Amino acid sequence: MELIQSIKEAGVVGAGGAGFPSHIKLNTTVETLIVNGVECEPLLETDKYYMRHFAEELIRSIEIVGTHLKATRKIIGIKAKYKKEIQCLEHAIQKQNSKIEIKALESFYPAGDEQMLVKEILNLSIPPGGIPLAVGAVVSNVATLLDIEKSIQNVPVTSRVITVTGAVKTPTLIKVPIGTSIKACLDLAGGVLPTLYAVILGGPMMGADCNMAAIESTFVTKTLGGIIVLPEAHPIITSKRLSFKHIINRAASSCIQCRMCTDLCPRFLNGHPLWPHKVMRAIGNGEKSLEAYESALLCCECGICELYACPMGLSPKTVNQKVKQMLLSSGYKRKVTSESEPVITEAHDMRPYRKVYSNRLIARVALSEYAQIHLDDLVSYTPPQVTIGLKQHIGKPAIPCVKTGDVVEAGQCIADIEDGAMGARVHASISGTVTVIENAVVITEGIQKEARHD
Ligand code: SF4
Ligand code: SF4
């Protein structure tokens, strides 16, 4: 079967967080395929596990995808400090007589942002509002490429390896079917330590705050790579939980316009017209003109401005996030677009000196006590029931192709892409009976297995 068709049938989406359908992203040709092996969010260990244990599959997949894209260069971007992972990759490259290059990068945040990767590896700044394709590149992360490798063998995306760490009894890597509850994932790590705790889905910087009350009704998706538990009073959590009204009041009363948020913003340093201090000024002053806010559309929500740069503890990232949602829902378009801007954007002269190194970030955001944990054991578990979301990707929700009462096998397609729409297929992650179909498909009566250590 043709590669794009295999990827589409297997329901592969960008596993690095965005969930963009891979059969659409890879339906092109480029000069360079860049593999994101950076895993720059603090505390996450998932991609490193993949690179240590599935290096051969990864190299095979990069070769296949690179050939499909007609890429003349295939480059893995990885932090130089991931020595074991680099060794495993080099061994696999040698064994397969491959020409894939490894580019060892400094340990800074957000080195895994695709705009940063392109800058570090190709020394090119992507035009504002553009994607790597604008400079002849495609960026794909290691988990996605491993899903693609399985899709070639007709194996769909039905499980995830997830880092469960922070304030849990036994930080661990788990492998669970998609649709497993977050509560079950926390139990696999021995449960949580503090009485009042908060759960972040994803990395601590960019992940979503999952309410304690919601951990039984929130489920693993194709894009989840980390579950981080922190005490409820942790500064990252208090920052994520401020009301927007309070955030605006603080911008109006306490923003000293020092512009540290802008000067350390990685997208600004890459040469983009993104000025969080101006957005803060506009919102603090109650500015009505939408143009005053449009630079927020270029924000990647990395959180440097909010959790690292601002000396007043204000929330420029959250302001950008809300403003972006407001501009997009009102149909606002940037006045200057990537089409009308020069293809090569110049990075700021100070970029090399203003990188936020990971060790400094970890200390600044009070994660040092959890940062020394390096995981290698994998606990596999299959729950008796899964709740599989119909929209785990960018685009339209998948349309169920099963009905309540149907008996399904693990790996069977249970929801398909709407005709002509952007989306991704969804598959049963355990065998059992379909018991509920709403915005998710619930499958029960799978055979429960004891948790085991692989
Ligand atoms: S860093 Fe903080 S105080 Fe300074 S301009 Fe930005 S939001 Fe205002
Ligand atoms: S979150 Fe802040 S630092 Fe990050 S891209 Fe947006 S404005 Fe820049």
Side-chain angles (χ1 to χ4, degrees):
M1 195 190 303
E2 193 221 347
L3 180 68
I4 292 294
Q5 191 57 27
S6 305
I7 294 172
K8 186 177 180 182
E9 294 204 353
V12 182
V13 302
F20 194 85
S22 299
H23 66 276
I24 298 175
K25 179 172 175 172
L26 297 178
N27 201 7
T28 184
T29 55
V30 287
E31 284 129 49
T32 315
L33 168 61
I34 296 177
V35 179
N36 183 355
V38 169
E39 192 155 63
C40 67
E41 274 265 15
L43 311 188
L44 297 189
E45 294 282 318
T46 308
D47 287 352
K48 292 193 275 298
Y49 174 86
Y50 281 134
M51 290 187 282
R52 284 193 304 274
H53 295 275
F54 296 94
E56 292 205 16
E57 290 86 342
L58 181 59
I59 297 303
R60 203 159 40 240
S61 182
I62 298 169
E63 283 293 355
I64 292 167
V65 173
T67 304
H68 160 81
L69 293 170
K70 298 190 171 30
T72 49
R73 293 183 74 191
K74 290 153 274 186
I75 309 169
I76 303 173
I78 184 169
K79 287 183 181 173
K81 71 173 186 180
Y82 298 163
K83 293 198 171 20
K84 249 192 196 164
E85 291 74 13
I86 292 176
Q87 244 176 27
C88 295
L89 293 169
E90 281 175 343
H91 181 71
I93 288 171
Q94 210 176 24
K95 204 168 158 192
Q96 294 178 35
N97 203 15
S98 162
K99 297 270 183 292
I100 293 169
E101 303 162 56
I102 293 182
K103 171 87 176 167
L105 307 173
E106 290 179 297
S107 186
F108 73 96
Y109 177 83
D113 173 46
E114 59 182 20
Q115 306 241 358
M116 300 306 127
L117 264 179
V118 168
K119 180 69 192 157
E120 291 294 312
I121 291 175
L122 301 178
N123 197 24
L124 292 173
S125 288
I126 297 167
I131 57 173
L133 214 49
V135 292
V138 155
V139 178
S140 192
N141 97 320
V142 295
T144 312
L145 284 157
L146 287 171
D147 284 340
I148 290 173
E149 201 266 344
K150 285 194 203 140
S151 80
I152 298 161
Q153 302 156 45
N154 299 322
V155 178
V157 183
T158 57
S159 65
R160 279 274 75 102
V161 171
I162 299 167
T163 306
V164 187
T165 192
V168 290
K169 286 202 182 85
T170 319
T172 187
L173 287 160
I174 60 170
K175 184 179 181 196
V176 290
I178 285 162
T180 304
S181 76
I182 300 304
K183 166 82 169 56
C185 296
L186 293 174
D187 289 345
L188 291 172
V192 299
L193 290 174
T195 325
L196 291 176
Y197 65 93
V199 178
I200 298 175
L201 301 182
M205 296 296 287
M206 295 182 73
D209 173 22
C210 173
N211 198 305
M212 252 165 81
I215 58 169
E216 288 192 52
S217 55
T218 305
F219 304 93
V220 170
T221 64
K222 293 178 188 179
T223 57
L224 185 65
I227 301 175
I228 314 287
V229 176
L230 293 173
E232 212 172 41
H234 192 281
I236 290 181
I237 302 301
T238 50
S239 160
K240 284 184 193 284
R241 290 187 174 175
L242 290 173
S243 76
F244 195 53
K245 187 163 180 266
H246 191 57
I247 284 173
I248 296 176
N249 286 343
R250 295 199 322 153
S253 61
S254 309
C255 177
I256 53 174
Q257 286 294 292
C258 64
R259 67 166 283 160
M260 283 292 282
C261 48
T262 295
D263 286 340
L264 291 184
C265 168
R267 292 283 176 107
F268 166 76
L269 291 169
N270 254 15
H272 289 188
L274 166 55
W275 305 285
H277 76 287
K278 289 189 185 174
V279 178
M280 289 295 276
R281 188 196 304 159
I283 205 142
N285 289 343
E287 177 64 58
K288 295 281 181 289
S289 149
L290 293 185
E291 271 178 56
Y293 300 99
E294 79 161 28
S295 84
L297 289 169
L298 301 173
C299 170
C300 69
E301 302 174 19
C302 70
I304 293 268
C305 51
E306 184 161 309
L307 291 168
Y308 186 87
C310 179
M312 304 300 285
L314 305 183
S315 314
K317 168 195 140 172
T318 310
V319 168
N320 276 352
Q321 226 171 13
K322 297 275 183 201
V323 163
K324 228 159 79 166
Q325 284 161 10
M326 184 264 291
L327 291 175
L328 292 173
S329 61
S330 69
Y332 183 87
K333 294 264 183 300
R334 277 182 68 235
K335 296 284 177 279
V336 186
T337 64
S338 59
E339 286 81 47
S340 57
E341 280 161 356
V343 173
I344 306 298
T345 306
E346 289 300 325
H348 197 287
D349 288 348
M350 295 303 284
R351 182 179 184 273
Y353 312 104
R354 291 193 190 152
K355 283 181 182 165
V356 173
Y357 289 101
S358 302
N359 52 352
R360 295 194 60 194
L361 176 71
I362 285 166
R364 175 84 167 99
V365 297
L367 289 175
S368 302
E369 69 176 295
Y370 311 113
Q372 301 315 322
I373 303 164
H374 298 293
L375 307 172
D376 202 36
D377 280 348
L378 184 76
V379 178
S380 296
Y381 172 70
T382 303
Q385 184 177 73
V386 289
T387 301
I388 306 170
L390 294 171
K391 190 175 184 316
Q392 304 174 46
H393 49 262
I394 291 176
K396 289 263 181 80
I399 308 287
C401 51
V402 289
K403 52 187 188 319
T404 310
D406 281 359
V407 174
V408 293
E409 288 290 321
Q412 181 181 329
C413 179
I414 54 170
D416 212 337
I417 304 168
E418 188 183 314
D419 270 350
M422 181 196 286
R425 280 182 143 197
V426 175
H427 300 79
S429 58
I430 62 169
S431 300
T433 306
V434 175
T435 46
V436 179
I437 301 179
E438 285 171 355
N439 54 1
V441 175
V442 179
I443 301 172
T444 51
E445 297 175 9
I447 303 152
Q448 188 173 12
K449 291 179 189 141
E450 290 299 309
R452 64 176 198 275
H453 289 267
D454 281 4

